[in-house]
Amino acid sequence: EHAASARHRIRQLTMTSVGSWDPTTAAIVTAILIGDRAGLDDRIERDLQEAGTYHVIAISGGNIAILAGCLLLTCRLLRVPWRAGLSLTILLLIAYAELAGGGSSVSRATTMAVVYLAAMLLDQRTSAASALAVAASLILVGNPLALVDPGFLLTFGATIAIVLGVPAFTSAVAAPAMLRAPLALLGASAAAEVALLPLGPLFFSRVTLAGVLFNFAAVPLMSIVQIGGMVALAISAAAPSLAHWAGWVPHRAALALVSSAALVHYVPWLTWRGTGGPGCSNRR
């Protein structure tokens, strides 16, 4: 009940700030902040699916990483002791997972973050692959049927590909320091797309390779929407008179996110939609 009340309050504040510019962008910000996609237009969801960037409006590892980073930075700026900051971040991430509904991607990302931060709290270090393995084990112990859940297969399939593929890709390609981040994003997008290629037709009757291209815009824009949305929420709650202007940045970023996904209509050959049984598909 507390989580439902908090979600309702977030929707209200988002509509007051971002929604004063455009209700559509407010729905996108709400989806990115708490995973509530009820207000999204079907056309926008379809464009994001075909562009391979639907993951930006579903709470996943990127959202949890941004939130964890913001929490740790805030604790550092407020001079909270290191161990206390880690403990507080862990508790807030667990609370956020409940707030966001606790889907497969939320559970996976939160469990990984908690395992990683808990290891740091105990003066230990762990790799992303180890944290991923522990997260999968804990989730399957709690719910063995998760193994046949599409969300579980998608989130772990993509994450395994990213964790194993990106280091190999970036180490194999020699590039200046300023190009390492774009190369890592390219490697992550390509690895995830290839890993999930068999699952797209199976679960959604859709194959798309557009995400390799459009993630270059979608991921940075999602980060701006999430951080801008959190700032807008804080300002709207503390100073309602500033709510309208606080929502401008996430509004513009959400608008750009939608526009970037709509570009898939200019490259329709990057996405296919299946019609019928296995092996039957038509280009769109």
Side-chain angles (χ1 to χ4, degrees):
E1 291 180 359
H2 288 300
S5 178
R7 285 193 292 269
H8 177 66
R9 179 60 173 162
I10 289 172
R11 285 192 291 267
Q12 282 185 322
L13 291 174
T14 303
M15 187 56 67
T16 301
S17 55
V18 183
S20 63
W21 295 94
D22 185 353
T24 299
T25 54
I28 295 169
V29 174
T30 302
I32 291 175
L33 287 178
I34 58 174
D36 182 356
R37 298 185 290 275
L40 285 176
D41 183 83
D42 290 341
R43 176 186 57 81
I44 292 175
E45 291 198 76
R46 185 170 60 251
D47 285 349
L48 289 169
Q49 289 168 355
E50 293 185 353
T53 56
Y54 190 78
H55 62 91
V56 300
I57 61 168
I59 305 296
S60 59
N63 303 84
I64 300 298
I66 290 171
L67 178 59
C70 289
L71 291 173
L72 291 172
L73 178 60
T74 301
C75 289
R76 184 171 182 178
L77 293 175
L78 295 177
R79 299 185 181 276
V80 177
W82 180 66
R83 292 184 186 279
L86 287 176
S87 301
L88 181 60
T89 299
I90 289 173
L91 292 175
L92 290 176
L93 287 177
I94 294 172
Y96 177 75
E98 180 66 25
L99 177 67
S104 295
S105 59
V106 177
S107 300
R108 189 269 310 162
T110 303
T111 306
M112 281 187 68
V114 168
V115 168
Y116 190 86
L117 294 175
M120 293 180 63
L121 191 61
L122 298 173
D123 290 326
Q124 301 296 318
R125 297 294 181 268
T126 184
S127 66
S130 297
L132 180 63
V134 172
S137 300
L138 291 175
I139 291 173
L140 288 174
V141 166
N143 179 20
L145 290 179
L147 190 59
V148 294
D149 174 33
F152 178 91
L153 297 176
L154 290 169
T155 188
F156 275 96
T159 308
I160 290 171
I162 291 171
V163 167
L164 299 180
V166 172
F169 177 75
T170 52
S171 62
V173 179
M178 63 181 299
L179 294 180
R180 288 176 186 171
L183 278 175
L185 180 56
L186 174 63
S189 299
E193 292 285 355
V194 171
L196 300 184
L197 204 56
L199 300 180
L202 179 63
F203 295 129
F204 309 115
S205 300
R206 185 185 300 279
V207 179
T208 179
L209 299 176
V212 176
L213 174 64
F214 291 112
N215 273 324
F216 279 98
V219 172
L221 288 170
M222 180 272 289
S223 303
I224 297 173
V225 171
Q226 182 177 353
I227 296 172
M230 291 190 293
V231 172
L233 287 178
I235 293 176
S236 300
S241 60
L242 299 177
H244 175 72
W245 297 109
W248 185 79
V249 170
H251 157 69
R252 296 301 303 180
L255 203 59
L257 178 61
V258 172
S259 299
S260 70
L263 292 175
V264 73
H265 297 299
Y266 295 96
V267 284
W269 43 271
L270 286 177
T271 181
W272 298 264
R273 183 165 182 81
T275 55
C280 299
S281 63
N282 292 330
R283 287 193 175 188
R284 291 193 61 181

